[in-house]
Structure formats: C-alpha cells, structure tokens
Amino acid sequence: MPPRKRTRPALGFLCCFGSSEPLEINLKDSVPLQLLEFSAPMPPAEELHARFSELVDELDLTDKNREAMFALPAEKKWQIYCSKKKQEDPNKLATSWPDYYIDRINSMAAMQTLFAFDEEEMEMRNKVVEDLKTALRTQPMRFVTRFIELEGLTCLLNFLRSMDYETSESRVHTSVIGCIKALMNNSQGRAHVLAHPQSINTISQSLRQDNVKTKVAVLEILGAVCLVPDGHKKVLQAMAHYQKYAAERTRFQTLLNELDRSTGRYRDEVNLKTAIMSFINAVLNAGAGEDNLEFRLHLRYEFLMLGIQPVIDKLRGHDNAILDRHLDFFEMVRNEDDSELAKRFDLTHVDTKSAGQMFELIKKKLNHTDAYPYLLSILQHCLQMPYKRGGGSLQHWQLLDRILQQIVLQDEKGEDPDIAPLDNFSVKNIIRMLFNENEVKQWRDQAEKFRKDHSELMAKLERKERECDTKTQEKEDMMKTLNKMKDKLQREGVELRSARDQVLDLHSRISDINKITGTIWHDVDDLRAFKILDLKDIEKMFSAYQRHKTAFLVSGALSPKLTRKVKELSVIDGRRAQNCVILLSKLKMSNEEIKRAILEMDEREELAKDMLEQLLKFVPEKSDIDLLEEHKHELERMARADRFLFEMSRIDHYQQRLQALYFKKKFAERLAETKPKVEAILSASKEVVRSKRLTQTLEVVLAFGNFMNKGQRGNAYGFKVSSLNKIADTKSSIDRNITMLHYLIMIFEKNYPDILHIQQDLLSIPEAAKVNLAELEKEVHNIKSGLKAIETELQYQQSRTTDRGDKFVPVVGDFITVASFSFSELEDLLNEAKDKFTKSLKHFGEEQDRMQPDEFFGIFDTFLVSFDEARQDLENMQRRKQEEERRARMEVMLKEQRERERRAKKGGATDEVGGEFDDLVSALRSGEVFDKDLSKLKRNRKRSVNQLVEGGGRERPVTKVNY
C-alpha cells in the first residue's frame, strides 16, 4: 500500500491534542482501492469487525476518526485491512523488531569513541537511523509500544548526549532528532517523550551544532511542544538548561545570534530563520502567553533587550512570504499588547524605552495613594545602591529585576508561569542568580581545593608537632643526662680539687711546721683567737669594702666609650628640601648623571619632559647659593637636597640650560597641537566661501524668510548668520513636531536634492568651531618668545669657553636652525588663516572685529548638527508611516482570510488526513497555527479591555514573593 498523503489544513493539527474540532480521515490513496489484490475472501461480518477493530486500535486514531473508519462499508474495511496486512511478512526480518534498532544504536554510540568512521560507514549508520524513523512512522502500534518498553527513547537520548563532533555535524544527528519526532507522531509516544524528565532538555542541546537541518528539526519540535498541554513550561526549562549547557548569557542568546547571522546560503538561512521566528511566536503566545498579558510582555522584553527589533527589520530583506508571515504576526501581537498596556494608563502608547515616561506613569498612578511612600523608599534605596563601571554591583540590579519579575508574574497561588526567576530567598539561590554557574563552580572548586590544601597542611602540621614533641622530649632527656654528667663531673672536680688542696695544704703545713720548728710560731695557736674575735664584724667591715672596690674597678673598666652621631647639614627650606628629595628618588639618577645629562642636552634621552618640568621648580635661588657657598667646606655633611642644589649651582647658567632643554623637548609637541587648529580655521574659511550648497541654502532661507515676514516680495537682502539656527526653533502651527528646518529639508528633497549633501562641503567646520583665536595667537607668541630666549642663551654660550662634555652649542644650534624654519611656516600659516577668516566674515557681511572663529564657525556647526538630526527625524517619520500602512494592509488581509475560513467552515467539514505531530509542525512552520489563535486572542483581549473600562481600572490580587 502506498504511503498516506498528508494534507495540511489551517486548523486541523490540534485534533490529537484534545481540540474540539478534530478532522476526519481522508481515505483517498494515490492508488485506487479497487486495484488491490486480496489474498483471502472477506470473512463474516463479526470476524471482519474484530479484525478491523484490532487494526484501528493499532493506528491510534482519535474518537472522531475512529467513528469515520467504522462507518465505512464492509468492502472498504476489508480492502484496508488486506492492504495493511499485506505489508507484514509472516517471516519477519530482524529489522521489523525495535530490539534490532536499539542494539545497533547502542553499538554505534559505543564504537564512535573508539573508531573513526569513513564516509561509507557514516552512510550505513545513517541508514540504520533512517530505517528506525520509517519504522516508527509505518509499523503497527505494537512496534512503538515495544520500542517504548525497551527504553528506546533513553537509547536515542544517550546517543545524542554521547555524539562525537563528526557524528553531531552529520546527517545521523538530524535523523536521530527525526526518530524522536516520529515517536511523538502518536499519542502514546508523545506522552512518553513529554513524561521523560530529560528528553526536551537533551533535544535542546542539539541547538549548539552548526548543522542547519538539525537546528531546524529541533526548533520545530520545541515549537510544537509549546502548543501541547503542559509542554510550554518544559520548553522554557529546556532553554534555561541550554543556557547553562552552552554557557550563554541569556537563554535565548543563541537564537538571536542565529537570527542575525548571515551564512550566504539563502535556502538554509531562510529555513532556519523561519524556524526560529515560528518558535519565538509559539513561546510568546502559547501556554501562559495565551491569556496573560504580563507574561507576554515579560518574555517579549527579554527578546527586545537582546535586540530582536533591528534583526526583524533586517529579515524583511529576504523577501520570503512564510518568513514575513511570522514577522507580521510577531509585530501585530506586539502592537496589540502595547495598545492594551497603554489603555490601562488611558494613553494611546507607552514608550517602554523611555525611563522618564515610565516613571511619570508610575508616579501618576501611585500619587495620593498609600503605596506612594513605598515608591519613594524604593527610589531612595536605589540611589544608595552601589554601582561601579566594570564592577560586580551589576548583580544587585539583576537580583532586583528578578524579584520584580516574580511579583508581576506569579498568580494567587504564588506560582510563576515562567521557570520561577526567584524561587526563594535562600542563600544558594541568591548566589546562583548573582553569579553565573561557571563562577560558582570555580569558587566551589577553589573552596574544595582550599579545604584539601588546609587538610593536608593540618596533617603536615600535626606530623611536625609530633616530631617536634619527640625532638623536644629527646632534647629534655639529653639535657637531663648532660646535667647529671655535668653535676657528676663538677662534684668529681670539686672532690679532686679538694683532695689536691688538702694534699697541698698538708704538704704546706708539713713544710711550714718544718720552717717554724724552733721559732715562736711553733707555740702560737690562732684557734684560740678565733674563739674570742667577732668574725662577723670583721667580715662586714672588710668584705663589704672589698666588694665595693672591686665593683667600682670593674664598672670603671667596662664603661663604654661614648660616641656622638654626626648631624646632617641643611640650609634650605625643609618642605622644599623634602619635595626635592622625592623628585630625585623618582629620577633614580645620581647628581653626576643629572649634571652630565644637562651638559650634553640629554642626548641619551634620560630626562623625561615631566621630570624636566619638575626640575625647573627646584632651580637654586641666589639666597640658597649664598648659604650653600658658606658651607661648601662641609659638603660631606650636607643633606641630599642641599648637595644636589649645590652641585647644580656649579653649572654655568643652569636655569637657562634647563629651560632650553625643556623647550627643545616640547617644541614638536606644541607645534603638532597648534598647527591643526590653524589649518582648521584656514580650511573652514575657504569652505564657507566656496560652498555652492551653502550659498543655495542661504538663498532658500532668505526667500522663505521674506515670504514669511512680508509676502513674496520681501525687502531683506540678507540676514545675520546667527539667525540661521533660529529655523530649528520655529515650529509648525499644524504639527508641533514639525519645525521650519524639517519643512526646508522636505523642500530640499523635492527641489534641491544636492543641498542634502552640504556637509561634504563643510568638513572642517566642526574642528574650526572649537578653536579660540586669542588663545591660539597667545600660544604662537609663547613659542616665538621661547625660540628667542634660546637664541640669546646660545649667543652667551658661544661667547664663553666651552667646558669638556658641554654640548649645548652644537645641539641647540642645530635645533634652532630646524625649529626656526618650522615656526616660520606656522607663523605664515596663521597669518594666512587670519586673512582668510577676515575675508569670510566680510563675505557674509559680519562685523570683522566682533566675531571670533569659534563663534562664527560654531553657528554653522550647530546648523549642520540640527540639519542632520532633522533629516533623521523625517526618515523615522516616513518609516513609521510606512509601517503603519503595512500593518493596516496586513490586518485587512488577515481579516479577509478569517472570513474565507469562516465561510469554508459553514460549507461543512472536509475529508482530510492529519491531526498528528507532523501536521502540527507543518502548521507551525507555515504560520497557519496562529490564524485561529489570533482570532481568539483578539476576542479575549477585547473582552478584557471592556471589563477594565467597566470596572474603572485593573485590579490584581495582592501577590507575595516566595520565601
């Protein structure tokens, strides 16, 4: 049996999702049923009904389509049954079972990490996946059921997650997405995919690939899922998941980048951009966006902040009808939402780009209410919120934005139709919002690393402490042992000395006894005197004297010789000396090196211009020199600043040399700053005189002024150029947004188109308007005086004997030769510029002594700026007018289309095939999916606006932030 032919009606795609208007099945096949051959005669009615019921159950049809099938005649039922069963071979091949495909795909996923496949092998792998896609579409329902039971979806998702780069950019990737799409083409498979916790997230990851067909397939699935009950929030969660997966700044950043990018391949580019716009329209208008204005505005603001509006204007250039249909729908819904928002404030339009207008609306709304003090409090605290350019304070504003988003979006139950921008105020969530995942992960890794390092350090510290305790204990034990040995040795030494003394004493006594034998001392016994004498008194009298004397002698012997610190000599002012020392520390040169550099006129480029300027502030004065001369014999004692000033004072004409060196270094820079200003005046003076466009502009303005003042024959022959800028301040009495300058430009566009390029004639005006002639002449005079002073110093230096190493005369002589020539050119140029400027004033009839170049050319500069702004205003007005006309035409077309559909519905239902996921994707791709939604959308919004008008305002229940 040939494959069924699927037609794409405007609204029939919703039947499989519980729509109230499902389509009937069209049984027209490309081959007439009469030509089919039957393998068996038609069974009895009861058996036919049983077999046909089994077939219908496998087809997974809706209730209305089932009724249409059972209403067919018995002959057609039998023909359909035979044609279907004929496709099923009794001896089924392995490819007829889902087990085969699941095993092959698992095998491919495992092998891709081990082997590199050539083009032929890649084609074979793609064929396997394509065959699975075909089987999921054509095999009986039991095939899909078996595929689901064997975790076939998980197999496909794992393959998507584990793809290498070559596979992800090949047709295999697109075919795998096609398998998931085919699985969703019946209610059971679709429910299984939506129930899987990671299916939509994994599908969204394929948006990161470069393959355009893969991206289109993914976007079509995501867009269709938005239209499925409970699918919209899953898509938002998938985009948030993709944001983290791709490390994007926002969840829709990739879509906007792809929408704006040009690849050079028209067909692929238009298909991708159409898929993106259909997805964006589905996200904005399905789910909560179907009835919730705040939600649509919330999501649309997100797209507008990413810059979708200029991208839409750019997409108009593709001139593709389907793409334009999606763009028109986006802008139409946006305009309706903006109008509905404006009606809440009794306005026709709210400029959401203008902070001032939005603030005035909020102020007007809350003024004289209990909420007004809280508005002031919010603003007062916003003033105190920190903000540093490039700093981390931006996250505070982002957090405030997220809080306000949840307050606006959440319903009475506190539930948010978006994926909860602020679930609660836990520290974890605030950190997640203030910082991106990479930063949090980085900090977590750093904290983990710090924890490990800390643990390792603590372990090392404990080991070191134990080692230290052991060493300390060993040291204490050793010291005890040593002390014992020391005590023992001391005792032994004392005993030894005592024994030796006793021996010596005994020997001495024996010797003394031998000496005193026969003398008086033999009979004297001093022990008797000890008993009588007061030994303590003796000790007090003589031992104290002896200790005091010894201490005196020791203290006298150890008394150190006192030395006196030599004090630095400084004769100059203390503050000036301190500043001089600071300058010398910055120079990082010795006094000799500075002296050499000055004598050589800094041929080695060691002294910077700013350092020379500072050195000129520390030239030795006469009083300083006199004081330093008095103490020159104490040079070694001099402070650093004093010695520097003393040594510089020894250079002949030190100040004049320094000034000459500074002038020499600054001359080229001063010339480069002055010459462009002179040239600007000269060029601008020539341009205003030569410009034919300017002359023609003044001619038209004069004629316009004469007509405005005294009719067609005015008597003015000219006007002051200062009156030129009054044109922009004169507004029309009909339209206050139109000024006389706007009107003149419209005249120029119609009758004098060449005048519109007037800025090309006056290119030097902006620079000349910045030049003050008096300051310019003063600068030229200063340069001239500086050259003259250097020439005078050169003459003096030439008249004296040149010291060794002094290169002032040759260096300055060469400089004056070149500088004098350059200055003479500047002086001649200035004289010419002044002469041309005087002639230009005379040319325009201005008083020569009362107007300076900055004032004169400033008038023309202001006029040119106003001229350009007025042209831009007119272009914007024209663009808005064309846009309004286009929208009006589009609304008429859509109205006519809805009328045709209404008449077609009246004529009765048609027998068309459809109602499955493919039809939903097709309708989404073509934009037909939004036709009915748009009609219902307008009815609902009209009803809500009427309710608001009757109720006198918008009342919402008080909401609270989840904590």
Side-chain angles (χ1 to χ4, degrees):
M1 177 179 176
R4 293 189 300 170
K5 180 180 179 181
R6 296 179 181 271
T7 59
R8 298 188 178 104
L11 300 174
F13 58 88
L14 290 176
C15 66
C16 63
F17 301 116
S19 171
S20 60
E21 299 177 3
L23 291 180
E24 296 180 356
I25 291 183
N26 182 9
L27 297 175
K28 296 176 182 179
D29 290 317
S30 58
V31 179
L33 291 174
Q34 295 92 312
L35 299 180
L36 293 173
E37 297 179 1
F38 306 105
S39 58
M42 185 171 65
E46 293 182 4
E47 184 179 352
L48 175 61
H49 180 76
R51 293 187 185 184
F52 194 71
S53 298
E54 182 182 356
L55 175 62
V56 171
D57 291 339
E58 290 180 354
L59 292 178
D60 189 34
L61 300 177
T62 61
D63 293 340
K64 187 169 183 179
N65 291 337
R66 287 171 62 89
E67 292 176 4
M69 290 286 281
F70 283 115
L72 295 172
E75 292 78 7
K76 285 190 177 182
K77 290 181 181 179
W78 181 239
Q79 289 172 356
I80 294 173
Y81 180 82
C82 291
S83 63
K84 189 68 178 175
K85 292 301 179 181
K86 189 176 180 181
Q87 300 174 15
E88 303 178 14
D89 187 3
N91 300 318
K92 291 185 178 180
L93 300 175
T95 54
S96 300
W97 296 99
D99 313 57
Y100 164 78
Y101 296 105
I102 294 174
D103 291 340
R104 288 297 304 273
I105 292 175
N106 285 332
S107 176
M108 287 191 295
M111 291 175 63
Q112 68 177 352
T113 60
L114 304 174
F115 306 102
F117 296 96
D118 56 21
E119 186 174 350
E120 183 178 355
E121 291 171 332
M122 192 66 76
E123 192 65 32
M124 292 176 61
R125 300 171 75 198
N126 185 59
K127 187 178 183 307
V128 172
V129 183
E130 283 290 332
D131 289 345
L132 172 60
K133 182 170 70 174
T134 304
L136 288 170
R137 291 182 182 277
T138 60
Q139 290 290 339
M141 191 61 200
R142 57 176 174 269
F143 181 92
V144 177
T145 305
R146 179 65 177 167
F147 183 81
I148 293 173
E149 291 173 352
L150 295 174
E151 298 292 338
L153 175 61
T154 303
C155 169
L156 293 174
L157 296 177
N158 290 337
F159 190 30
L160 283 177
R161 283 192 286 261
S162 63
M163 278 185 182
D164 57 12
Y165 178 76
E166 289 76 10
T167 307
S168 64
E169 296 299 336
S170 68
R171 289 190 300 164
V172 175
H173 195 164
T174 311
S175 299
V176 173
I177 297 295
C179 289
I180 299 176
K181 182 178 173 184
L183 180 62
M184 298 179 73
N185 208 37
N186 62 80
S187 58
Q188 186 177 352
R190 185 166 55 255
H192 181 64
V193 172
L194 294 177
H196 194 284
Q198 293 298 325
S199 58
I200 308 300
N201 290 355
T202 305
I203 293 171
S204 70
Q205 292 177 187
S206 297
L207 289 173
R208 199 175 186 184
Q209 311 309 321
D210 294 331
N211 191 320
V212 173
K213 292 182 179 179
T214 302
K215 290 180 181 177
V216 170
V218 171
L219 288 169
E220 288 178 344
I221 291 177
L222 294 179
V225 170
C226 283
L227 306 175
V228 176
D230 299 326
H232 188 269
K233 201 160 188 176
K234 286 183 177 293
V235 173
L236 291 179
Q237 290 171 347
M239 296 310 299
H241 167 79
Y242 177 78
Q243 177 188 351
K244 298 177 183 178
Y245 174 75
E248 292 286 359
R249 184 169 57 88
T250 64
R251 54 184 168 180
F252 300 118
Q253 184 70 53
T254 295
L255 297 183
L256 266 294
N257 292 342
E258 293 291 344
L259 202 61
D260 189 38
R261 190 172 62 147
S262 297
T263 61
R265 300 189 297 273
Y266 178 80
R267 184 184 297 275
D268 289 344
E269 188 173 327
V270 169
N271 289 340
L272 178 58
K273 294 181 188 302
T274 302
I276 293 174
M277 283 307 304
S278 66
F279 171 76
I280 290 175
N281 282 331
V283 167
L284 285 173
N285 296 280
E290 189 172 355
D291 304 310
N292 191 331
L293 172 65
E294 289 82 2
F295 181 76
R296 289 193 303 276
L297 292 172
H298 159 71
L299 280 187
R300 191 178 294 112
Y301 288 154
E302 188 171 347
F303 284 108
L304 291 173
M305 287 178 65
L306 292 172
I308 194 174
Q309 189 57 53
V311 176
I312 287 178
D313 298 337
K314 178 180 174 183
L315 292 179
R316 296 285 183 186
H318 286 82
D319 196 22
N320 181 273
I322 298 178
L323 179 58
D324 287 344
R325 187 174 189 178
H326 287 288
L327 299 177
D328 293 342
F329 183 77
F330 177 87
E331 295 191 339
M332 174 177 284
V333 178
R334 178 188 176 186
N335 293 333
E336 290 183 355
D337 288 346
D338 289 345
S339 299
E340 186 171 346
L341 177 65
K343 287 177 182 177
R344 293 179 175 180
F345 297 95
D346 298 326
L347 298 173
T348 57
H349 177 67
V350 175
D351 186 3
T352 53
K353 292 183 180 179
S354 172
Q357 183 179 357
M358 290 189 290
F359 171 75
E360 289 298 328
L361 289 175
I362 297 172
K363 179 182 175 184
K364 181 180 178 181
K365 182 178 180 180
L366 298 183
N367 201 13
H368 306 300
T369 67
D370 294 339
Y372 189 73
Y374 297 101
L375 173 63
L376 291 179
S377 176
I378 291 171
L379 296 175
Q380 290 164 0
H381 286 88
C382 284
L383 287 175
Q384 301 176 50
M385 284 184 68
Y387 181 77
K388 294 181 180 178
R389 190 176 297 276
S393 58
L394 180 62
Q395 288 82 3
H396 300 112
W397 295 97
Q398 290 176 340
L399 178 60
L400 181 59
D401 180 39
R402 298 289 177 84
I403 295 172
L404 292 174
Q405 286 179 29
Q406 176 160 329
I407 293 174
V408 171
L409 293 177
Q410 69 184 13
D411 55 20
E412 298 178 6
K413 299 178 181 178
E415 296 179 356
D416 193 336
D418 200 352
I419 53 171
L422 190 64
D423 290 334
N424 50 59
F425 274 105
S426 67
V427 175
K428 182 179 180 181
N429 285 335
I430 290 179
I431 291 176
R432 185 180 294 117
M433 273 179 280
L434 288 178
F435 309 100
N436 60 44
E437 285 293 326
N438 292 335
E439 291 175 330
V440 175
K441 184 176 183 300
Q442 183 179 359
W443 292 343
R444 191 182 293 115
D445 293 342
Q446 290 177 352
E448 182 64 22
K449 183 175 180 298
F450 175 78
R451 188 185 63 79
K452 290 180 179 178
D453 293 344
H454 179 71
S455 300
E456 292 177 0
L457 288 174
M458 290 302 295
K460 289 181 180 179
L461 180 62
E462 290 177 0
R463 288 198 300 270
K464 292 295 183 182
E465 287 179 347
R466 287 195 297 271
E467 292 177 1
C468 184
D469 292 340
T470 304
K471 297 291 184 183
T472 303
Q473 188 63 38
E474 292 177 354
K475 180 180 177 182
E476 290 177 354
D477 295 342
M478 189 178 295
M479 289 301 297
K480 289 179 179 179
T481 305
L482 289 175
N483 289 333
K484 290 179 180 179
M485 293 176 65
K486 181 179 178 181
D487 293 341
K488 183 178 179 181
L489 289 174
Q490 286 178 347
R491 286 196 303 271
E492 291 178 351
V494 170
E495 292 174 355
L496 183 60
R497 285 195 297 272
S498 177
R500 186 179 58 188
D501 291 342
Q502 290 177 1
V503 171
L504 290 175
D505 184 54
L506 180 60
H507 182 270
S508 176
R509 286 179 177 276
I510 293 172
S511 177
D512 291 341
I513 291 173
N514 291 333
K515 288 180 180 179
I516 65 172
T517 302
T519 65
I520 190 173
W521 300 112
H522 181 73
D523 298 326
V524 172
D525 186 2
D526 57 335
L527 295 176
R528 290 196 297 265
F530 280 142
K531 296 177 181 179
I532 299 172
L533 294 175
D534 188 352
L535 299 178
K536 291 183 178 179
D537 186 57
I538 294 173
E539 183 179 10
K540 179 179 178 181
M541 289 295 294
F542 295 99
S543 294
Y545 172 77
Q546 187 67 24
R547 284 197 300 272
H548 176 73
K549 182 178 179 181
T550 303
F552 174 78
L553 292 175
V554 171
S555 63
L558 297 179
S559 178
K561 184 178 181 181
L562 299 177
T563 59
R564 182 178 297 174
K565 184 179 180 181
V566 179
K567 187 177 181 182
E568 284 187 342
L569 174 66
S570 180
V571 297
I572 64 175
D573 178 67
R575 188 174 186 82
R576 189 160 178 255
Q578 182 181 6
N579 293 334
C580 182
V581 170
I582 294 172
L583 172 62
L584 294 175
S585 63
K586 291 181 180 178
L587 272 174
K588 297 179 181 179
M589 295 172 66
S590 65
N591 293 346
E592 289 298 325
E593 289 173 338
I594 297 173
K595 183 176 180 181
R596 174 186 51 74
I598 293 172
L599 290 174
E600 293 179 354
M601 295 301 289
D602 196 26
E603 283 188 329
R604 305 181 187 182
E605 296 293 335
E606 295 174 309
L607 298 173
K609 292 190 288 289
D610 57 336
M611 290 294 106
L612 286 171
E613 186 178 6
Q614 294 299 320
L615 282 172
L616 284 168
K617 298 178 182 179
F618 296 98
V619 173
E621 300 175 357
K622 188 176 184 306
S623 58
D624 296 333
I625 296 173
D626 293 341
L627 288 172
L628 292 169
E629 283 291 334
E630 292 178 5
H631 297 84
K632 63 182 180 181
H633 59 282
E634 298 180 283
L635 186 62
E636 295 298 327
R637 288 183 53 209
M638 281 187 183
R640 186 179 181 186
D642 295 66
R643 180 178 293 190
F644 168 75
L645 294 178
F646 175 76
E647 293 186 5
M648 294 304 107
S649 67
R650 313 300 289 177
I651 301 175
D652 186 48
H653 274 219
Y654 169 69
Q655 182 175 359
Q656 291 80 357
R657 285 174 180 269
L658 210 56
Q659 290 171 342
L661 179 57
Y662 181 66
F663 182 86
K664 173 179 175 292
K665 285 181 174 288
K666 288 282 290 185
F667 179 77
E669 181 182 331
R670 295 172 71 180
L671 209 65
E673 291 177 356
T674 306
K675 194 171 182 179
K677 298 178 181 178
V678 179
E679 291 173 341
I681 294 177
L682 179 59
S683 300
S685 301
K686 293 178 180 178
E687 288 170 358
V688 294
V689 173
R690 295 175 182 173
S691 175
K692 294 181 180 180
R693 294 185 176 109
L694 179 59
T695 303
Q696 205 168 23
T697 301
L698 298 178
E699 180 182 297
V700 176
V701 172
L702 178 61
F704 199 95
N706 280 334
F707 177 76
M708 293 279 292
N709 292 329
K710 293 188 177 181
Q712 294 181 356
R713 301 185 59 82
N715 57 1
Y717 296 99
F719 57 87
K720 294 290 185 182
V721 292
S722 58
S723 302
L724 198 60
N725 290 323
K726 296 179 181 179
I727 299 173
D729 299 330
T730 305
K731 296 185 177 181
S732 168
S733 57
I734 299 175
D735 187 352
R736 304 300 292 175
N737 293 323
I738 300 295
T739 65
M740 188 183 293
L741 183 57
H742 288 111
Y743 188 76
L744 281 173
I745 292 175
M746 288 189 280
I747 293 176
F748 293 156
E749 289 176 344
K750 184 177 180 181
N751 303 311
Y752 305 92
D754 190 51
I755 293 181
L756 298 176
H757 307 292
I758 188 174
Q759 290 182 331
Q760 297 177 5
D761 292 352
L762 307 174
L763 298 176
S764 302
I765 291 294
E767 290 301 321
K770 302 175 185 177
V771 180
N772 187 302
L773 184 60
E775 293 180 358
L776 182 62
E777 290 178 326
K778 181 179 179 182
E779 176 63 14
V780 173
H781 176 72
N782 290 339
I783 296 175
K784 186 175 182 179
S785 301
L787 273 174
K788 190 173 181 180
I790 291 181
E791 290 176 355
T792 303
E793 181 62 21
L794 179 62
Q795 293 174 0
Y796 168 78
Q797 294 293 343
Q798 288 173 339
S799 65
R800 60 182 287 275
T801 305
T802 303
D803 297 332
R804 185 178 179 182
D806 189 351
K807 298 183 180 181
F808 183 89
V809 174
V811 172
V812 174
D814 294 342
F815 167 72
I816 288 178
T817 302
V818 177
S820 298
F821 178 75
S822 300
F823 178 74
S824 63
E825 285 185 336
L826 176 64
E827 203 168 25
D828 294 342
L829 195 66
L830 178 60
N831 292 330
E832 183 184 0
K834 291 166 65 177
D835 180 59
K836 292 292 183 182
F837 174 64
T838 303
K839 289 180 179 179
S840 66
L841 290 176
K842 185 177 180 182
H843 179 75
F844 286 92
E846 300 291 337
E847 297 181 13
Q848 301 176 16
D849 299 332
R850 293 193 176 183
M851 191 168 284
Q852 293 297 315
D854 52 347
E855 180 183 357
F856 179 69
F857 295 120
I859 293 170
F860 292 104
D861 182 45
T862 303
F863 175 74
L864 292 176
V865 172
S866 302
F867 190 89
D868 187 60
E869 291 177 351
R871 281 193 68 189
Q872 190 65 39
D873 291 342
L874 289 174
E875 290 177 3
N876 292 337
M877 292 178 189
Q878 184 65 21
R879 192 181 299 112
R880 285 196 294 269
K881 182 179 178 182
Q882 293 174 355
E883 183 68 18
E884 289 172 0
E885 292 175 353
R886 188 184 63 78
R887 288 173 183 164
R889 290 195 302 271
M890 181 181 64
E891 289 180 0
V892 171
M893 291 172 58
L894 291 175
K895 186 176 180 181
E896 292 175 353
Q897 181 180 350
R898 287 195 298 274
E899 183 64 24
R900 288 195 300 270
E901 291 175 358
R902 188 182 63 79
R903 288 196 297 268
K905 278 187 180 180
K906 253 183 178 179
T910 59
D911 294 334
E912 294 175 327
V913 178
E916 299 295 347
F917 198 75
D918 283 341
D919 300 312
L920 179 58
V921 171
S922 299
L924 182 63
R925 185 188 301 123
S926 64
E928 296 173 356
V929 68
F930 300 116
D931 293 342
K932 180 180 177 181
D933 292 345
L934 182 59
S935 177
K936 183 173 70 174
L937 188 68
K938 285 190 172 181
R939 289 197 301 271
N940 292 341
R941 294 180 191 174
K942 185 175 181 181
R943 191 183 306 115
S944 65
V945 171
N946 293 335
Q947 291 173 355
L948 285 172
V949 173
E950 293 171 1
R954 172 174 175 264
E955 295 293 336
R956 294 181 69 241
V958 177
T959 59
K960 60 182 181 179
V961 179
N962 290 334
Y963 284 89

